[in-house]
Amino acid sequence: MSLTRLEGARAVMSGREVLAGVDVGLSEGELVALVGRNGAGKTSVLRAMLGLLPLTGGSVLLGGDDVGRLPERERALRAAYLPQERRIAWNMAAVEIVALATPFLNEADARTRAARVLATLDADHLADRGVADMSGGERARVLLARALNAPGRALLLDEPVAGLDPDTQLFVLDHLRREAAGGRGVMLSLHDLTLAARVADRVVVLKDGQVVADGDPATALSPHVLNDAFGLDGAWIETDDGPTLSIRRRLQEA
């Protein structure tokens, strides 16, 4: 079942077209990685899917309905969003931050559910700590827990592993894979192409606000696409753990 979809989406920001006829969707049970250079349109795709970026053309369907006709509460019930920005205005306890995702529950039930989600991310020890007193990585886990705690079947995550150490990156991505295996749809932006190749069911490659590849990792991150979209040389190498993507900067001719 399709959870959210852009069809021919076009959008302009500060006089620049950031989406140029984008067709991309997210279905239940899949993990989709958005990749591309800085400014390629990854954040714009995620924001457009939630109705947070006005379109100049095309349409956005959220749960099969025009997102523009859905009230904010209904959007929140269908999709959860984790933006890049990790600053929080108030020094609230982590469990209170996570509980904000379920305003429809009474306070006791909301805190119980929030504590349970924190525990799934090995962050239950942070429950009563103020977020302003945490490291950037700890705060990132709390904000991810808030997104996971939301009821929406679609999870749209903008660089959820940015700034995390390698072990924590893999921990978070493995958890998101389990979310997809449980039936949610997960779409996240990533800069690390090897991580995208490792965890994604589909990879969507963006360049100048357009989709230049959309398919399984080996297809979407083919040597031709890597060269065109990133200016990189790359190859898939067979290992004991399966195909692994190897990339390097294109060698410059003397």
Side-chain angles (χ1 to χ4, degrees):
M1 174 183 174
S2 177
L3 297 174
T4 180
R5 181 161 189 82
L6 300 182
E7 297 181 347
R10 294 184 175 275
V12 175
M13 290 182 62
S14 302
R16 183 175 74 90
E17 191 170 46
V18 292
L19 296 179
V22 170
D23 292 295
V24 67
L26 174 67
S27 297
E28 290 182 342
E30 67 173 353
L31 190 151
V32 178
L34 299 176
V35 300
R37 292 185 183 223
N38 291 336
K42 301 183 296 295
T43 296
S44 296
V45 165
L46 294 172
R47 288 175 53 81
M49 284 185 157
L50 294 158
L52 300 176
L53 177 64
L55 298 185
T56 57
S59 62
V60 187
L61 300 176
L62 182 59
D65 297 313
D66 184 340
V67 72
R69 298 182 179 180
L70 295 173
E72 288 188 14
R73 176 180 171 81
E74 184 60 30
R75 296 183 199 183
L77 290 173
R78 299 189 186 193
Y81 178 48
L82 177 66
Q84 287 185 37
E85 180 57 65
R86 291 175 180 167
R87 286 185 298 179
I88 301 174
W90 298 280
N91 190 22
M92 299 170 64
V95 70
E96 295 173 355
I97 293 290
V98 178
L100 291 174
T102 54
F104 47 85
L105 296 177
N106 63 55
E107 183 177 356
D109 288 345
R111 287 179 66 91
T112 298
R113 173 169 164 153
R116 187 164 57 246
V117 175
L118 282 167
T120 67
L121 291 174
D122 288 349
D124 44 323
H125 62 288
L126 301 174
D128 297 318
R129 283 179 54 189
V131 289
D133 302 322
M134 297 179 186
S135 69
E138 290 172 334
R139 194 176 305 117
R141 284 204 190 203
V142 172
L143 293 177
L144 176 60
R146 184 177 67 177
L148 295 176
N149 192 35
R153 300 298 292 165
L155 296 177
L156 306 178
L157 314 171
D158 201 353
E159 298 189 29
V161 299
L164 302 181
D165 62 74
D167 179 69
T168 303
Q169 287 184 338
L170 295 175
F171 173 85
V172 168
L173 292 172
D174 287 346
H175 188 87
L176 293 176
R177 278 233 50 90
R178 289 194 293 272
E179 290 288 324
R184 296 180 97 169
V186 180
M187 179 175 283
L188 68 160
S189 63
L190 287 172
H191 279 293
D192 190 321
L193 300 181
T194 58
L195 286 179
R198 177 184 185 275
V199 303
D201 299 306
R202 282 173 44 225
V203 175
V204 176
V205 183
L206 294 159
K207 179 184 178 182
D208 299 328
Q210 297 180 310
V211 174
V212 296
D214 183 350
D216 63 85
T219 301
L221 297 174
S222 68
H224 171 75
V225 174
L226 290 170
N227 192 321
D228 176 59
F230 299 96
L232 297 171
D233 289 330
W236 286 85
I237 301 172
E238 287 295 333
T239 71
D240 291 340
D241 295 322
T244 299
L245 179 64
S246 173
I247 56 175
R248 67 179 183 179
R249 294 189 67 200
R250 185 188 305 159
L251 296 178
Q252 301 295 320
E253 295 183 4

